[in-house]
Amino acid sequence: IEDWREEFVAVEPIILPIVSSTTDFDTPKTITDQIGIQFFESILRAKTSEGVGPSEADVVANTAARLKQTASDVLYGTKDAIIIPVSPEAIRTYANTMAQIITNNNVPNYDGELEIIDKALRLESPAELEKLEPLIAMYRNMRDQSLTTPVPEPFVKEHLDLINVYQALYKNLLDMKMIFDDPVVALMRVQRYQDDATGLSNGLRNMYTVLVPHAGLFTAQDPAVL
């Protein structure tokens, strides 16, 4: 109790008893604990401030905004791309390389990501989450290999869109693995996962659209047929 509040609730100063032993306070390390403590402290402060400072509604809105930030990613931009002049050979090499990256890293016959999370929660089994590892590696490798692929200048936007989707899905799965250790972060990633999966579909469709005018450069044996 702050000193000024004591004046209203007690005649004599309030003296806390000295205890014979103490326990060191462990600073919260997970986002779940940090946000939880901050939220309840802020709510209590709002209840006792009597109109001074943020209201309870403000506290909830601020907490929601911070929660949203836990599932945000840094975007790759043109400075991260290896941009080359456009030519028929450059287009053919680029499209074949990007398609080969997808083919080489594809994980066949796997359970859906959300199904894995659901099963792990129902069984209360962190071991089930290990099934996400091949998918995490898939998106990480597709991101990294795409970043090292030279891209003809007209395709830079579609190239970066695809890389950023790979990055988003990689981070989603990586954080979703924390469902038992840091559930707030994992649940925020689950919430945005479907949008990012849709983003992958859109990114591949857009890449197809910009390559269609150059279809004459490819044969049926080219990986770009993918």
Side-chain angles (χ1 to χ4, degrees):
I1 299 178
E2 297 93 338
D3 291 345
W4 68 269
R5 290 185 186 275
E6 288 186 351
E7 299 294 329
F8 297 96
V9 298
V11 177
E12 299 294 330
I14 298 173
I15 307 298
L16 296 177
I18 298 174
V19 296
S20 58
S21 64
T22 60
T23 302
D24 290 337
F25 173 72
D26 290 329
T27 302
K29 295 179 175 59
T30 67
I31 298 296
T32 301
D33 287 343
Q34 292 171 5
I35 290 181
I37 291 173
Q38 180 192 53
F39 175 73
F40 284 110
E41 285 181 343
S42 299
I43 284 290
L44 288 172
R45 196 174 295 117
K47 285 180 177 294
T48 58
S49 64
E50 298 178 356
V52 179
S55 66
E56 291 182 46
D58 292 333
V59 171
V60 172
N62 292 338
T63 302
R66 186 179 177 192
L67 284 171
K68 188 175 181 179
Q69 291 175 357
T70 66
S72 61
D73 301 315
V74 176
L75 296 178
Y76 290 96
T78 53
K79 68 181 186 305
D80 303 301
I82 304 171
I83 304 173
I84 59 175
V86 65
S87 70
E89 186 57 34
I91 293 172
R92 185 168 183 266
T93 300
Y94 170 73
N96 281 333
T97 302
M98 292 296 285
Q100 196 67 58
I101 287 171
I102 295 172
T103 302
N104 290 348
N105 290 286
N106 183 50
V107 179
N109 304 320
Y110 67 89
D111 293 333
E113 293 90 327
L114 298 183
E115 285 81 0
I116 293 172
I117 295 290
D118 179 62
K119 186 176 180 181
L121 289 173
R122 284 189 289 104
L123 298 178
E124 298 184 8
S125 171
E128 281 291 321
L129 298 175
E130 293 306 313
K131 294 179 180 178
L132 292 173
E133 278 300 329
L135 303 173
I136 292 172
M138 177 182 73
Y139 287 120
R140 181 184 63 237
N141 292 338
M142 289 165 67
R143 177 202 64 191
D144 292 346
Q145 292 166 21
S146 297
L147 282 168
T148 61
T149 299
V151 53
E153 193 277 332
F155 305 146
V156 170
K157 180 185 182 302
E158 290 74 19
H159 179 72
L160 290 172
D161 285 347
L162 208 51
I163 288 172
N164 281 313
V165 171
Y166 292 156
Q167 163 69 7
L169 290 168
Y170 162 69
K171 278 291 293 174
N172 282 348
L173 297 181
L174 198 64
D175 286 351
M176 283 156 64
K177 268 197 74 178
M178 300 163 59
I179 192 73
F180 291 106
D181 301 317
D182 203 348
V184 158
V185 173
L187 291 173
M188 292 303 294
R189 287 291 180 176
V190 168
Q191 184 181 43
R192 65 168 281 183
Y193 181 79
Q194 187 57 57
D195 285 342
D196 289 331
T198 301
L200 176 60
S201 175
N202 291 338
L204 292 171
R205 184 181 297 111
N206 292 341
M207 185 66 75
Y208 167 81
T209 300
V210 296
L211 286 171
V212 162
H214 308 281
L217 298 174
F218 304 97
T219 69
Q221 286 71 45
D222 278 306
V225 172
L226 177 72

